[in-house]
Amino acid sequence: MELEIILKPGGDTPIYEQIEEQIRAGVISGTLAANTPIPSIRALAKALRVSVITVQKAYDNLKHQGYIETVVGRGTVIAQVSQEMLRETKQKELDELLEQACRLCGLSLEELTAALETIYKEN
């Protein structure tokens, strides 16, 4: 699997966060499996035409979060992420999406709960 990252320069999200988000999403979705090699910092910076420092910051954050690791002789690879960590990450994303939905639609907690119950029962 080749790592494909699409950047939106000039947007509200810094480039290093865009790189982080896309790699993290690949891990969470299973598109990037454990032990899958990813490009070196220099190679990715060159491919994306961004600063090495930008990619370094993204990789450092992903290492700190446990999504990637450096293996001697292999380079940087996708880390073995526990099911617990994946579940927590998905729950956090769901919480953020629900919060956004409530703000955008002006829903109360009761209205949101009722809507979710309806959707759950229909599925």
Side-chain angles (χ1 to χ4, degrees), residues 11-78:
D12 292 339
T13 306
I15 299 295
Y16 76 93
E17 284 183 15
Q18 293 179 44
I19 295 168
E20 275 182 61
E21 288 171 3
Q22 291 180 51
I23 292 175
R24 190 179 312 109
V27 174
I28 292 168
S29 71
T31 305
L32 295 172
N35 297 312
T36 301
I38 59 174
S40 70
I41 292 168
R42 289 186 190 282
L44 186 59
K46 184 177 179 182
L48 297 176
R49 297 182 181 150
V50 298
S51 163
V52 169
I53 295 168
T54 299
V55 177
Q56 176 73 50
K57 187 169 185 176
Y59 275 28
D60 285 347
N61 290 343
L62 288 165
K63 281 180 191 176
H64 179 73
Q65 295 164 8
Y67 288 98
I68 64 173
E69 60 188 356
T70 302
V71 177
V72 177
R74 290 199 59 216
T76 305
V77 299
I78 301 299

Side-chain angles (χ1 to χ4, degrees), residues 62-105:
L62 288 165
K63 281 180 191 176
H64 179 73
Q65 295 164 8
Y67 288 98
I68 64 173
E69 60 188 356
T70 302
V71 177
V72 177
R74 290 199 59 216
T76 305
V77 299
I78 301 299
Q80 180 68 46
V81 180
S82 71
Q83 291 301 314
E84 177 70 18
M85 184 174 161
L86 289 175
R87 190 170 47 72
E88 287 175 11
T89 302
K90 288 177 181 179
Q91 182 64 50
K92 182 180 175 188
E93 288 178 1
L94 176 61
D95 292 346
E96 289 171 2
L97 288 171
L98 290 173
E99 184 179 323
Q100 286 178 352
C102 286
R103 273 185 281 142
L104 288 172
C105 299

Side-chain angles (χ1 to χ4, degrees), residues 101-122:
C102 286
R103 273 185 281 142
L104 288 172
C105 299
L107 295 175
S108 67
L109 178 59
E110 293 78 20
E111 292 169 322
L112 177 63
T113 303
L116 289 172
E117 285 176 355
T118 302
I119 292 169
Y120 184 76
K121 288 176 185 175
E122 290 175 358

